[in-house]
Amino acid sequence: MTGSIEPILHIPKTVREDTLAYRSKVEEFLSGQTSAVAFRAYRVPMGVYEQRAAGKFMVRIRIGAGLVLPFQLEKIAQLSKAHGNGIVHITTRQDIQIHQVEIGETPDVLEGLLEVGLSSRGGGGNTVRNVTACPRAGLCSEEEFDVTGHSVATAEYLLADRGSFNLPRKYKIVFSGCSADCAFASVADLGFFAHHRDGVKGFAVYAGGGLGSNPAVAVKIEDFVEASEIFEVAEAIKRLFDKHGDRANKHKARLRYVLARVGASEFIRLYKQERAILNVEGLPYEAPEIRDIASDYPAPKESVTVRLQLRNGDISADDLATVGRIAATYGQGLVRTTQLQDLHITGVAPEDVDKVNEELKKLSVDVFGDGGPKVVACTGAATCKLGLCLSQGLSDAISKKLSQAGDSDTVIRISGCPNSCANHFIAKIGFQGKAKRVDGRLMPFYNVLADARTVEGDARLAETIGAVPAKRIPDLVAEALSNPSVDKELLRSLAAKYGDISTESLPDDFYYDFGSDEPFSLAGRGPGECGAGVMDVIKLDIDEAKDALKSGQTGSKDIYRAIVASARALLVTVGLEPKKDREIFTAFGRHLIEPGWVKSATAQLLDDAIDWRMGDRESLDDRLAQAWELIRRVEELFLSLDAGLKFKIEPAERKVTPEGADEKAHTADLRGVACPLNFVKAKLELEKIEIGSVLELLLDEGESVRNVPASFGDQGQEVIEVEDVGGHFRVKVRRKR
């Protein structure tokens, strides 16, 4: 074994403090002292995500520049076996994830990681995410120079600032060693491309890119900055984002929306303005050393890299620990995670390659691949609350279809929803999961994307060229790759061919996703940063309701169909997919009528509809106007949904406060709590009460009473009273959204 045992990424003191404080926050939540909403706001920036399975969580571990040491892999494996499901996942941003952890055990995981110099801080939420780099940084013959140290130092600098964990949305930074852009700096919030100018190392800088909904290619903001300026650039973009990002609308909160809103010229001006301020004031934190990490882990001359191809990025904990031991014995003492969800053992002497391969053959999974194309897939609906489709099931089906298909440089990317965790927007062949209603039933579908390119200064996103049922995707891919060349027009024709469902009766199997023995459903899907997939299904139901009533000879059957479709439309926002009409109406009453989102008179409309269906009512012709009113209200609520699947408009009816009830029941004494923490606590208290209810706050005079009411007003809440009660103030705020 060569190299140092010092962790690659140095964890700042602030991150260590926050990690050790996490246990008490979990205890407060489990004892009922903290609401689920308040706790979620704390745990997600710690890299702890709730999974699809009730009560289970995922811990996402930062792997700086994708470099991890054998003893760290050993610890990750131990923690996965002790607290998770024993399967470790490699992400497309070089992170490592432990899945299926009980919330009460997450402090053990986070503290265990800290023992070996690892952290999940910033693994989720509105934070500076993992700073990534080329998977072959320091090894590639085409690179300008090794960007590993720059990537790691940038992360160390930003992690020291607690402000890096309270941004409008996530902030992703990428370093590419050359213009070929293996790391995807051209589609990042902030991307650095290595260059030399007059013998000096530096970077061309791009910003405002990103994938997910409404993806965008970054724009150039600097032709060249010297290597020592990277901290100032990262700080300036962070400040620009913090000032101009849209915190109120999660649909449009990423940095790319700032760029789209103000335009490239103004965006660059705002960035230059922040840099000018930093030039005067200096950096708020000391810039860390940009280390030559390769010198700490010397590799034998003419050494090679052994690539482990992982199916869907998954590897058992025991196998992961073994890989670490192999790297320690035969490599330079490093293992690399890659954007293709693979692992690399670097620095292997040529004469030791056969020994390494013999050791790898003993693993429980095949890491040598079958010569077919690489398939990259997110975890999908199997574990992710945002997932629509079982993307890993499709990945397995494609790999099985193409087994022994021969060599291929094609990378196929599959995301189970629009969030692009598998980077389908930068794929030569990409698939984005969606749901479509066919003959009244939900069916798993995928948008087909093609023709992306990531290269400095000439990047383009993939184009959506069709939509195909999930069960036909493997045949589409097999036919595409059987051609001498795969281009956009070929894929377009194949998408049209396999996507045509108009002339045949589809087998029942099409209504089941890959790997599932249950009919396809969105039940169990939770709110997240992007609700686009859910939005599509809601709109299908609203359109169905409208279409039912558009006929010039609308009858009771059409009115009934419109009422059912309207009542069903919004239930997916609460994770429900009832099949029977009576169940749909019951759920609609509980979740839409009782809270006041829809008028209480609608309950009679639903009763009348059921009576007609059961033969107890002769006609629904006299309920046509009420059916249209229901459609309009459901559509109004739909159009108001934010990314958290919450309605932004006022209820149709306010809940009647029981006689004798007092608005003062909702109170929070924040005297002695300084700004801005007082507003944070006040906001959390407001989120505990229903829309239309009133929160009473006690605030200190001066800055507190000036800032907190004003902040609520800025967020669209109603400040109904500010009263000086002697020595402090009583403020009443009505929750409006």
Side-chain angles (χ1 to χ4, degrees):
M1 172 183 175
T2 61
S4 166
I5 61 171
E6 180 185 6
I8 305 294
L9 178 67
H10 296 164
I11 304 299
K13 178 183 177 182
T14 52
V15 171
R16 292 182 177 276
E17 292 172 349
D18 293 344
T19 303
L20 295 175
Y22 174 74
R23 182 177 293 277
S24 64
K25 298 295 184 181
V26 174
E27 292 171 351
E28 289 174 4
F29 167 68
L30 293 176
S31 66
Q33 300 177 55
T34 303
S35 71
V37 172
F39 180 58
R40 182 174 67 241
Y42 185 84
R43 66 168 166 77
V44 173
M46 295 299 298
V48 181
Y49 274 93
E50 188 173 10
Q51 295 191 258
R52 196 94 168 195
K56 298 294 185 178
F57 293 79
M58 173 267 286
V59 178
R60 180 180 292 144
I61 308 163
R62 303 181 74 103
I63 305 297
L67 298 180
V68 60
L69 303 175
F71 74 93
Q72 293 176 321
L73 291 178
E74 180 76 34
K75 174 59 78 170
I76 291 171
Q78 291 173 2
L79 294 171
S80 175
K81 291 172 64 177
H83 305 289
N85 63 355
I87 302 295
V88 175
H89 181 71
I90 312 301
T91 78
T92 55
R93 297 207 77 253
Q94 300 181 295
D95 294 308
I96 294 179
Q97 294 177 176
I98 297 174
H99 288 261
Q100 304 295 327
V101 183
E102 298 281 351
I103 192 61
E105 297 183 39
T106 55
D108 295 329
V109 175
L110 269 59
E111 291 171 11
L113 293 171
L114 202 60
E115 292 173 4
V116 293
L118 291 172
S119 176
S120 62
R121 186 76 162 114
N126 307 332
T127 67
V128 173
R129 299 296 185 89
N130 194 36
V131 181
T132 62
C134 300
R136 287 186 49 76
L139 305 171
C140 179
S141 60
E142 302 299 320
E143 69 183 6
E144 293 282 335
F145 56 85
D146 184 359
V147 298
T148 304
H150 304 80
S151 172
V152 170
T154 300
E156 291 173 347
Y157 169 77
L158 291 170
L159 289 176
D161 180 11
R162 286 194 170 97
S164 294
F165 305 100
N166 189 32
L167 298 171
R169 275 301 285 130
K170 64 186 84 170
Y171 180 20
K172 295 180 177 179
I173 302 174
V174 175
F175 283 81
S176 278
C178 72
S179 295
D181 198 15
C182 298
F184 313 131
S186 53
V187 287
D189 293 296
L190 181 61
F192 294 89
F193 286 94
H195 289 284
H196 283 93
R197 178 176 289 184
D198 299 327
V200 176
K201 290 181 180 179
F203 297 91
V205 186
Y206 289 71
L211 304 177
S213 296
N214 300 308
V217 172
V219 298
K220 183 186 283 188
I221 61 172
E222 295 278 9
D223 289 327
F224 185 83
V225 296
E226 294 188 12
S228 60
E229 298 177 70
I230 58 175
F231 309 107
E232 190 175 289
V233 172
E235 178 70 28
I237 288 294
K238 189 182 82 169
R239 291 187 177 193
L240 184 160
F241 188 25
D242 194 33
K243 290 179 181 179
H244 300 281
D246 189 347
R247 295 179 184 272
N249 185 355
K250 295 299 183 186
H251 279 300
K252 296 185 177 181
R254 291 291 298 274
L255 182 64
R256 61 181 178 271
Y257 289 103
V258 179
L259 172 61
R261 186 171 67 246
V262 305
S265 296
E266 177 64 8
F267 183 87
I268 294 171
R269 188 193 70 80
L270 292 171
Y271 157 71
K272 297 289 188 181
Q273 179 177 287
E274 294 299 332
R275 282 210 66 183
I277 294 171
L278 289 169
N279 286 335
V280 174
E281 296 180 351
L283 292 171
Y285 289 85
E286 182 179 354
E289 176 189 1
I290 300 174
R291 309 191 312 273
D292 180 8
I293 294 172
S295 66
D296 293 332
Y297 301 89
K301 191 175 182 180
E302 306 299 330
S303 65
V304 300
T305 296
V306 177
R307 174 188 173 195
L308 284 66
Q309 300 183 58
L310 303 183
R311 177 70 59 84
N312 299 325
D314 291 339
I315 184 170
S316 75
D318 287 335
D319 285 347
L320 184 72
T322 300
V323 170
R325 289 192 287 272
I326 294 171
T329 303
Y330 298 105
Q332 66 184 123
L334 287 172
V335 174
R336 292 174 182 249
T337 57
T338 81
Q339 287 83 349
L340 292 179
Q341 299 179 299
D342 291 332
L343 294 173
H344 288 176
I345 298 175
T346 58
V348 178
E351 61 269 22
D352 287 334
V353 171
D354 288 342
K355 298 175 184 177
V356 169
N357 288 336
E358 286 301 314
E359 293 293 327
L360 293 176
K361 288 177 183 177
K362 300 175 184 177
L363 300 180
S364 65
V365 294
D366 176 18
V367 296
F368 296 98
D370 56 16
K374 173 65 179 180
V375 184
V376 175
C378 68
T379 59
T383 60
C384 178
K385 292 192 67 143
L386 296 173
L388 298 171
C389 297
L390 293 170
S391 45
Q392 291 190 341
L394 175 58
S395 170
D396 290 341
I398 291 174
S399 296
K400 182 178 180 180
K401 183 76 175 182
L402 301 178
S403 180
Q404 308 302 323
D407 292 336
S408 174
D409 294 328
T410 301
V411 176
I412 300 168
R413 298 181 177 275
I414 308 170
S415 296
C417 80
N419 279 320
S420 198
C421 291
N423 299 337
H424 60 269
F425 280 113
I426 53 173
K428 186 173 182 180
I429 304 177
F431 300 101
Q432 173 192 307
K434 61 187 295 185
K436 188 172 182 178
R437 202 175 292 281
V438 179
D439 295 332
R441 300 170 64 186
L442 284 180
M443 181 181 291
F445 258 70
Y446 283 86
N447 282 340
V448 183
L449 297 95
D451 202 31
R453 177 172 61 220
T454 49
V455 62
E456 182 185 359
D458 193 26
R460 66 167 179 256
L461 299 170
E463 178 184 342
T464 300
I465 57 175
V468 176
K471 288 301 175 73
R472 285 180 172 169
I473 297 292
D475 289 336
L476 181 155
V477 174
E479 184 170 347
L481 295 183
S482 68
N483 285 268
S485 63
V486 180
D487 59 26
K488 181 172 65 175
E489 294 313 312
L490 170 64
L491 289 169
R492 190 190 303 277
S493 66
L494 292 176
K497 170 185 173 180
Y498 287 98
D500 184 6
I501 59 172
S502 61
T503 60
E504 62 180 288
S505 177
L506 298 175
D508 193 58
D509 179 56
F510 274 47
Y511 294 94
Y512 292 72
D513 210 344
F514 283 105
S516 174
D517 57 5
E518 297 288 336
F520 182 66
S521 170
L522 298 183
R525 188 190 192 275
E529 65 197 35
C530 175
V534 172
M535 302 296 188
D536 291 342
V537 174
I538 297 172
K539 190 173 188 305
L540 286 171
D541 281 328
I542 293 174
D543 288 345
E544 180 183 338
K546 288 180 177 179
D547 290 342
L549 301 186
K550 282 181 178 177
S551 170
Q553 299 184 5
T554 302
S556 294
K557 183 177 179 180
D558 302 309
I559 295 171
Y560 180 81
R561 184 161 68 93
I563 294 171
V564 172
S566 299
R568 180 178 59 204
L570 294 171
L571 296 181
V572 68
T573 66
V574 291
L576 297 178
E577 184 74 22
K579 299 297 187 294
K580 297 180 180 179
D581 295 353
R582 189 180 294 277
E583 293 174 349
I584 290 171
F585 290 167
T586 299
F588 186 83
R590 182 183 311 119
H591 294 283
L592 278 302
I593 297 176
E594 288 180 13
W597 294 112
V598 177
K599 290 181 179 179
S600 55
T602 308
Q604 186 60 52
L605 175 66
L606 303 185
D607 288 343
D608 291 345
I610 287 293
D611 287 345
W612 175 82
R613 182 72 171 179
M614 300 300 294
D616 297 330
R617 183 183 173 96
E618 184 175 341
S619 171
L620 288 174
D621 292 351
D622 61 332
R623 304 301 267 157
L624 177 61
Q626 288 86 351
W628 270 116
E629 183 180 353
L630 173 60
I631 293 172
R632 285 191 290 269
R633 180 56 181 174
V634 167
E635 185 170 35
E636 186 180 17
L637 289 166
F638 162 62
L639 293 174
S640 80
L641 281 170
D642 63 16
L645 303 182
K646 303 297 182 183
F647 304 125
K648 296 184 291 184
I649 59 175
E650 294 187 46
E653 295 177 349
R654 300 205 180 278
K655 294 186 67 175
V656 178
T657 303
E659 187 175 353
D662 193 337
E663 289 181 339
K664 295 180 181 179
H666 305 298
T667 63
D669 187 349
L670 300 180
R671 289 174 291 180
V673 181
C675 293
L677 187 58
N678 51 12
F679 175 65
V680 175
K681 290 190 173 184
K683 187 171 181 293
L684 291 174
E685 291 297 325
L686 193 73
E687 290 174 352
K688 296 178 183 179
I689 67 176
E690 296 178 359
I691 291 177
S693 296
V694 174
L695 172 67
E696 181 181 289
L697 301 168
L698 300 182
L699 297 169
D700 293 326
E701 59 185 354
E703 185 181 26
S704 293
V705 76
R706 287 195 303 271
N707 292 348
V708 173
S711 296
F712 274 127
D714 290 342
Q715 294 197 353
Q717 311 297 353
E718 180 185 1
V719 180
I720 58 179
E721 182 181 357
V722 178
E723 179 186 4
D724 186 345
V725 291
H728 66 278
F729 284 78
R730 179 184 294 116
V731 176
K732 292 185 178 180
V733 182
R734 189 184 306 278
R735 184 177 179 185
K736 302 283 285 186
R737 51 187 297 181

